[in-house]
C-alpha cells in the first residue's frame, strides 16, 4: 500500500459532507455539493495519488474488490442516480427546461431531496471509511489450488449452477439457490474469458454456453437487474485483459441499456399476466424498439430514470414520515431482522419477513396495499428509520467494515483473488452490491457466510484446495 495510515484520507472524505451541511439553508446548492461530493469520494479513493489500494495486484486486475466494484455500484445507485429526479423536480427533462417562462420556486420537497442527498453522501463516506479501516495490507492466504489448470471450474460451474437452478423450484431452498446459481455464472464467466484468451475451446464452449443460457433467461424475466448484473460480471472479468476496450464500450453500452431496457422490460412484463408467453412478449418488445416510436421510448425512459433507477423519491417520503408522524423505529427493524435468521423449520409460526418489511412502506404511504408493487427499503433508509442521521453513519460504517472483511476472508480461505473475490465473494454476497432491507440483508449475509464455509470445506475435502505452507 502507498500509505498504511488511512486517517488523513478518511478525514478528506468528510470535507464535502461538512460543506453541504453548512449550506443546509440553500437546498439547491446543498444538493449539488452533496452530489458532486460522491464524485469527489470516487476520485479520492480510486484515482488520486492519495488513494490507499492494495499493491499485490495492478489496479486493473483487482477491480472486483469492495473499494472499487461495491463502492461504485452501491454509492453510484444510492447517490449519483438521484440527479435525474432532482432535475425533474427543477423543471428539466433530459437537460431541457420544460417549465417555459415559469420561475422555479423552492418548496418543502426541495429541502427533503437535499436532505436525503446529504445523508446519502454521509453514508457513502461512512461506507468507504469502513472499507479502509479494516482493509488488510497483506492477506494471509490459507490455501492454494491443487491443480495447475482450471478444469475444476468446469464441474464446479455445472454442479453449483444445476443445484441452484433446482433449488429455485423448492420454496424451502430458495435461500441457497441464488448464491449457488451466481457462483455457477461467475465460474462460467471466468471460463469464458480464459477460453477466449487462450483459445481453449473446452473452456470457451462451456463458459459461453452457461453464461448465454443465463443471460437469455434474464432477458425473459421482465426485470432489468439480472440483465445489468450479467453485463457487469462479464465486463469485470474481461477488464484485466481488455481494459481499454471495456472503458471505450462502457458509456455507449450504458446509454443503450438506459435508452432501450425500460421499454423492453415493460413489454416483456406482459407475459406476467399469462395471456402471452415470455418469448412472444420478447418478440413484441423488439418490434416496439424497432418501430422508432421515440416519443414513447423517451417517456418510458424518463419515468424509469426519475422514479425507478433512483429511489430518492421513496427516501424523501420516509424522511417526511419519520419522525414527524412516526417515532424512530430504534431496535424494532433490527429485532425483526434477527428473528428472520431462525429457520422456519425451527419456528413454524415465524412472521413473514416480506409482510413485516412492507408494513413500514405502507404506513409511510410509499406504496398502497392494493398495489402489487414491492417497494422494499434499502440499508440507508432502514438505518435512518431506526436511529436517524446517527444511524445512517454508524450502520454504513459497519456495512463497509463487513463487506471488506467478507471479501478478505473469501480470498484467504479460497486461495486468492480469482476464486476468493471474483467468484465466491461477488457471487455469494452479490446482494451487498446494492443492499436490501434489513430483514432480507441480515438473512442473506448470515446464510451466505454459512454457505461460504460449507463450500470451502467441500473443496478441501475433495482436494481441490490444499493448505499453503509458508
Amino acid at each position: 500500500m502507498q500509505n498504511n495510515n488511512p486517517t488523513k484520507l478518511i478525514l478528506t472524505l468528510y470535507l464535502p459532507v461538512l460543506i453541504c451541511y453548512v449550506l443546509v439553508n440553500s437546498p439547491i446548492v446543498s444538493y449539488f455539493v452533496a452530489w458532486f461530493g460522491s464524485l469527489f469520494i470516487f476520485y479520492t479513493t480510486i484515482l488520486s495519488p492519495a488513494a490507499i489500494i492494495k499493491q499485490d495486484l495492478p489496479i486493473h486486475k483487482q477491480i472486483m474488490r469492495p473499494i472499487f466494484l461495491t463502492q461504485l455500484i452501491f454509492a453510484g445507485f444510492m447517490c449519483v442516480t438521484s440527479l435525474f429526479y432532482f432535475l425533474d423536480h427543477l423543471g428539466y427533462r433530459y437537460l431541457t427546461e420544460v417549465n417555459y417562462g415559469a420561475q422555479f420556486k423552492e418548496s418543502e420537497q426541495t429541502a427533503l431531496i437535499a436532505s436525503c442527498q446529504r445523508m446519502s453522501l454521509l453514508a457513502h463516506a461512512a461506507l468507504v471509511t469502513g472499507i479502509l479501516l479494516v482493509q488488510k495490507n497483506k492477506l494471509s492466504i490459507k490455501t492454494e489450488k491443487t491443480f495447475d489448470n482450471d478444469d475444476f471450474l468446469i464441474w464446479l460451474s455445472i454442479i453449483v449452477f444445476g443445484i441452484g437452478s433446482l433449488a429455485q423450484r423448492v420454496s424451502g431452498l430458495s435461500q441457497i439457490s441464488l448464491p449457488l446459481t451466481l457462483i455457477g455464472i461467475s465460474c462460467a464467466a471466468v471460463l469464458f474469458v480464459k477460453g477466449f484468451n487462450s483459445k481453449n475451446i473446452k473452456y470457451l464452449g462451456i463458459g459461453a454456453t452457461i453464461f448465454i443460457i443465463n443471460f437469455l433467461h434474464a432477458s425473459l424475466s421482465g426485470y432489468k437487474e439480472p440483465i445489468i448484473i450479467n453485463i457487469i460480471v462479464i465486463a469485470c472479468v474481461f477488464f484485466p485483459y481488455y481494459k481499454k476496450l471495456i472503458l471505450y464500450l462502457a458509456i455507449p453500452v450504458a446509454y443503450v441499456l438506459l435508452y432501450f431496457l425500460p421499454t423492453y422490460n415493460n413489454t416483456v412484463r406482459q407475459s406476467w399476466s399469462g395471456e402471452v408467453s415470455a418469448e412472444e412478449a420478447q418478440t413484441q418488445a423488439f418490434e416496439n424498439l424497432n418501430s422508432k416510436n421515440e416519443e414513447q421510448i423517451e417517456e418510458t425512459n424518463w419515468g424509469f430514470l426519475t422514479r425507478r433507477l433512483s429511489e430518492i423519491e421513496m427516501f424523501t417520503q420516509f424522511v417526511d414520515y419519520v419522525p414527524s408522524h412516526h417515532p424512530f423505529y430504534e431496535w424494532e427493524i433490527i429485532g425483526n431482522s434477527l428473528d428472520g435468521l431462525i429457520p422456519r423449520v425451527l419456528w413454524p409460526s415465524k412472521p413473514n419477513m416480506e409482510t413485516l418489511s412492507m408494513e413500514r412502506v405502507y404506513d409511510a404511504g410509499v406504496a398502497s396495499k392494493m398495489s402489487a408493487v414491492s417497494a422494499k427499503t434499502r440499508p440507508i433508509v432502514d438505518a435512518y428509520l431506526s436511529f436517524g442521521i446517527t444511524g445512517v453513519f454508524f450502520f454504513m460504517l459497519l456495512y463497509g467494515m463487513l463487506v471488506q472483511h467478507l471479501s478478505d476472508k473469501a480470498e484467504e480461505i479460497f486461495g486468492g483473488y480469482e476464486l476468493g473475490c471474483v467468484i465466491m465473494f461477488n457471487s455469494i454476497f452479490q446482494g451487498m452490491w446494492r443492499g436490501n432491507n434489513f430483514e432480507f440483508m441480515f438473512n442473506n449475509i448470515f446464510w451466505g457466510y454459512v454457505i461460504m464455509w460449507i463450500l470451502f470445506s467441500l473443496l478441501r475435502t475433495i482436494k481441490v484446495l490444499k493448505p499453503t505452507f509458508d
Side-chain angles (χ1 to χ4, degrees), residues 190-205 238 242:
V190 171
L191 282 171
F192 186 8
V193 173
K194 287 180 179 291
F196 187 85
N197 287 329
S198 63
K199 296 181 174 58
N200 185 315
I201 301 301
K202 179 171 63 175
Y203 289 177
L204 182 62
F238 265 102
Y242 305 97

Side-chain angles (χ1 to χ4, degrees), residues 27-43:
I28 295 177
V29 178
S30 181
Y31 169 87
F32 281 110
V33 170
W35 189 84
F36 279 106
S38 284
L39 302 187
F40 171 80
I41 294 176
F42 285 142
Y43 169 77

Side-chain angles (χ1 to χ4, degrees), residues 219 263-264 267-268 279-292:
S219 71
T263 301
Y264 171 85
T267 308
V268 170
E279 291 76 11
E280 290 172 328
Q282 184 185 54
T283 302
Q284 180 61 46
F286 283 119
E287 289 177 359
N288 288 348
L289 293 176
N290 291 330
S291 66
K292 298 182 179 180

Side-chain angles (χ1 to χ4, degrees), residues 148-160:
D148 293 330
N149 59 38
D150 293 298
D151 284 358
F152 78 96
L153 288 177
I154 296 175
W155 59 258
L156 180 61
S157 175
I158 294 172
I159 290 173
V160 296

Side-chain angles (χ1 to χ4, degrees), residues 231 235 243-257:
I231 292 172
K243 54 181 181 296
K244 288 185 178 179
L245 177 63
I246 298 299
L247 288 173
Y248 290 148
L249 290 175
I251 293 178
V253 168
Y255 174 79
V256 170
L257 284 175

Side-chain angles (χ1 to χ4, degrees), residues 274-345:
E275 296 178 5
V276 295
S277 68
E279 291 76 11
E280 290 172 328
Q282 184 185 54
T283 302
Q284 180 61 46
F286 283 119
E287 289 177 359
N288 288 348
L289 293 176
N290 291 330
S291 66
K292 298 182 179 180
N293 190 351
E294 293 185 12
E295 185 175 341
Q296 179 185 347
I297 292 175
E298 290 184 1
E299 180 74 30
T300 302
N301 290 358
W302 189 244
F304 165 74
L305 292 173
T306 56
R307 295 302 194 280
R308 299 203 302 281
L309 179 63
S310 168
E311 295 184 359
I312 194 167
E313 181 183 29
M314 182 178 71
F315 194 3
T316 62
Q317 290 172 289
F318 280 112
V319 173
D320 187 43
Y321 178 64
V322 175
S324 299
H325 303 93
H326 186 287
F328 288 113
Y329 287 77
E330 297 185 340
W331 296 102
E332 180 183 336
I333 300 173
I334 298 166
N336 291 339
S337 304
L338 294 175
D339 287 344
L341 301 181
I342 303 172
R344 192 168 295 278
V345 67

